[in-house]
């Protein structure tokens, strides 16, 4: 089997771009097309209901498409690693769309790549636990066995024509994205940067940039204390240091990495919420 790594990388990159694409305002477009406010009352109600139903259907279609495209991209990435490692076409094709089986093959035949994928997966779980109240007590193999099955891929492919309700959504979107990012690096023999590493690098750069406006504060000393991400997630640290607040704001507004943006926006939201609660308590007191 001939392997073109550039084409595989391009397929993965395209899938990632689609996952990160800002959704269309389909509801607004449908309302404009329906000319709702120019219709008599009975027709207005009918068109309003149809607009709502079509908007929901479009959102469901995007979710199915995202799950299908991401599943296929991860499948291609895992198969590329196996083929590049000398696995036969027959063996690779025999796994079909079963991501967990492909991952188990990678674990057996390319333990270095498996270790990197597991590291990126664990980092994503850690990230999700830092920005949501949910806890995910799982490992990459168990997670892929549950959410990477062929049945999920097929269900999302044919749900619309088979009238399937409650189509399984597959993996958490951020896990899909991070696995694709990791595979894009691994197919060329690189070492992928997980989301925690990327946050650390960009947050440090932002702090150094913002510290130039407050030279009285020793940014280098603060940075040398250890990892910055856990300390930035302590609201009191943001509350008491305008450089740190500005650095988080810079990440939220200027980062080209969607997960870093999301992380920084969550920090800003938490900090603003805490400030409002403090002011409310002071007024009551």
């Amino acid at each position: 089997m001939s392997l073109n790594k550039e084409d595989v990388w391009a397929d993965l990159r395209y899938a990632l771009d689609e996952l990160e694409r800002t959704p269309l305002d389909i509801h607004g477009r449908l309302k404009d097309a329906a000319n709702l406010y120019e219709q008599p009352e009975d027709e207005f109600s009918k068109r309003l209901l149809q607009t709502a139903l079509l908007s929901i259907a479009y959102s469901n279609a995007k979710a199915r498409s995202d799950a299908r495209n991401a599943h296929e991209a991860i499948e291609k990435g895992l198969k590329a690693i196996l083929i590049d490692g000398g696995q036969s076409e027959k063996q690779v094709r025999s796994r079909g769309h079963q991501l967990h089986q492909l991952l188990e093959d990678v674990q057996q035949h390319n333990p270095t790549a498996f270790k990197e994928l597991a590291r990126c997966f664990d980092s994503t779980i850690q990230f999700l636990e830092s920005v949501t109240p949910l806890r995910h007590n799982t490992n990459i193999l168990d997670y892929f066995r549950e959410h990477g099955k062929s049945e999920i891929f097929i269900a999302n492919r044919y749900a619309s024509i088979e009238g399937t309700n409650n189509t399984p959504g597959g993996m958490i979107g951020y896990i899909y994205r991070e696995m694709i990012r990791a595979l894009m690096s691994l197919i060329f023999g690189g070492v992928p940067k997980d989301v925690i590493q990327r946050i650390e690098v960009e947050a440090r750069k932002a702090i150094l940039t913002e510290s130039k406006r407050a030279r009285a504060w020793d940014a280098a000393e603060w940075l040398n204390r250890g990892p910055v991400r856990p300390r930035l997630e302590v609201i009191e640290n943001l509350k008491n240091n305008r450089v740190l607040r500005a650095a988080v704001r810079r990440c939220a507004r200027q980062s080209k990495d969607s997960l870093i943006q999301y992380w920084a926006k969550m920090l800003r939201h938490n900090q603003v919420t805490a400030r409002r609660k403090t002011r409310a308590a002071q007024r009551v007191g």
Side-chain angles (χ1 to χ4, degrees):
M1 179 184 289
S2 177
L3 175 64
N4 187 321
K5 293 183 180 181
E6 289 75 16
D7 282 347
V8 176
W9 179 91
D11 281 350
L12 268 61
R13 179 71 252 186
Y14 184 82
L16 182 61
D17 288 344
E18 284 296 294
L19 287 173
E20 297 191 330
R21 177 173 60 85
T22 302
L24 295 173
D25 179 16
I26 192 65
H27 185 71
R29 291 188 175 196
L30 288 169
K31 284 177 64 178
D32 291 342
N35 294 319
L36 290 176
Y37 299 105
E38 298 179 10
Q39 306 303 321
E41 184 175 350
D42 289 347
E43 186 63 23
F44 173 88
S45 299
K46 291 178 182 178
R47 294 195 181 191
L48 181 63
L49 176 59
Q50 185 180 40
T51 296
L53 292 174
L54 289 174
S55 298
I56 294 171
Y58 182 88
S59 297
N60 291 338
K62 185 180 188 310
R64 291 194 303 269
S65 178
D66 285 347
R68 185 175 66 248
N69 291 341
H71 187 118
E72 184 176 58
I74 293 173
E75 177 186 330
K76 288 180 179 179
L78 293 173
K79 287 180 175 179
I81 289 173
L82 291 169
I83 293 167
D84 193 45
Q87 293 298 294
S88 69
E89 176 181 347
K90 181 178 180 181
Q91 174 64 22
V92 172
R93 287 186 179 276
S94 71
R95 299 309 191 188
H97 306 302
Q98 301 282 20
L99 298 186
H100 57 291
Q101 292 180 0
L102 289 167
L103 185 61
E104 289 166 355
D105 288 344
V106 171
Q107 182 184 32
Q108 179 181 353
H109 299 288
N110 192 332
T112 299
F114 175 82
K115 182 179 179 181
E116 294 300 323
L117 286 168
R119 175 177 59 80
C120 291
F121 175 86
D122 292 341
S123 178
T124 309
I125 294 296
Q126 182 183 348
F127 167 82
L128 291 170
E129 291 182 345
S130 73
V131 297
T132 72
L134 301 178
R135 294 295 175 264
H136 306 275
N137 184 22
T138 187
N139 61 67
I140 189 171
L141 279 174
D142 287 343
Y143 194 85
F144 271 55
R145 289 186 188 111
E146 182 176 357
H147 301 288
K149 294 180 290 188
S150 176
E151 292 86 344
I152 293 176
F153 178 76
I154 298 300
N156 280 300
R157 173 184 281 178
Y158 297 112
S160 60
I161 60 175
E162 293 181 351
T164 307
N165 294 320
N166 300 321
T167 306
M171 300 182 190
I172 296 170
Y174 286 130
I175 293 178
Y176 273 138
R177 295 182 194 185
E178 288 302 292
M179 292 296 95
I180 292 173
R181 286 182 187 276
L183 288 165
M184 287 168 60
S185 175
L186 288 170
I187 60 176
F188 285 112
V191 178
K193 294 180 179 178
D194 63 60
V195 61
I196 299 301
Q197 290 176 325
R198 301 199 310 272
I199 290 174
E200 188 72 17
V201 170
E202 192 153 343
R204 283 177 172 269
K205 288 181 180 178
I207 290 170
L208 286 173
T209 299
E210 294 297 334
S211 68
K212 295 175 183 177
R213 304 179 185 180
R215 298 186 182 277
W217 181 65
D218 192 344
E221 187 277 332
W222 194 86
L223 291 172
N224 287 336
R225 294 180 193 175
V228 304
R229 182 191 60 83
R231 288 181 284 151
L232 287 175
E233 291 174 356
V234 177
I235 297 300
E236 286 300 313
N237 289 340
L238 295 181
K239 176 182 177 182
N240 298 324
N241 191 306
R242 67 185 182 89
V243 173
L244 299 183
R245 292 196 301 273
V248 171
R249 184 167 60 249
R250 174 178 286 270
C251 289
R253 292 177 176 176
Q254 299 185 19
S255 177
K256 296 180 180 179
D257 188 317
S258 60
L259 266 69
I260 294 176
Q261 268 199 347
Y262 180 68
W263 168 80
K265 288 178 179 179
M266 287 297 298
L267 287 193
R268 293 197 68 200
H269 171 77
N270 293 341
Q271 192 259 330
V272 170
T273 300
R275 185 174 61 203
R276 288 174 178 171
K277 287 182 178 179
T278 298
R279 289 177 178 174
Q282 290 173 345
R283 286 196 296 268
V284 172

